[in-house]
Amino acid sequence: MSEKHMVTNPYKVLASGEGLRLQSGPGRDLIFKVTGEDTGGAFDYFIVEVSPRGGPPLHVHHSQEETIHVQRGRFKIRIGDAVFRCEEGSFAYLPSKVPHAFLNLTDEPGEIIVVYTPGGGHKFYEELGPITRSVPRDPTAIAALFEKYDMTLLGPPLRDE
């Protein structure tokens, strides 16, 4: 095999439902098919199972690009000051340094595919899950964790208005 075609990372083939399962808070499970550790830091590819009427707070990634591909449900996605209604099959690119959030507009669980580049986002979610499940919730600890991973919390989750 020529140097040009050498494999640097092992391949990975997973069945439906397989992968690194993490929680991003109540009702938001994530299944990482590949993480930055699998891709040499290039990207993360994961499925987000979003609870009915659920979604993350308004936030910004300072150095990570993000894409959202709606697989199931109907979503409201805010990118900067623009707001979009996205049906199944819709796709959104969220550049770094641009505030964003999303909301599942349905009364059923939704599902989106997310890609982060560069990869490594699973480390954030490994730490976020336990913090968001603690009672009482510690908003200062959550904000500090966002900052640790080069993100900033900017406001509450979106509402269906």
Side-chain angles (χ1 to χ4, degrees), residues 60-72:
V60 63
H61 299 250
H62 298 291
S63 57
Q64 220 169 24
E65 309 287 311
E66 182 174 350
T67 64
I68 294 175
H69 190 173
V70 178
Q71 299 300 293
R72 186 175 66 238

Side-chain angles (χ1 to χ4, degrees), residues 82-101:
V83 177
F84 304 91
R85 302 277 174 161
C86 295
E87 305 290 328
E88 289 181 12
S90 296
F91 175 89
Y93 164 59
L94 298 75
S96 63
K97 301 176 182 52
V98 178
H100 61 274

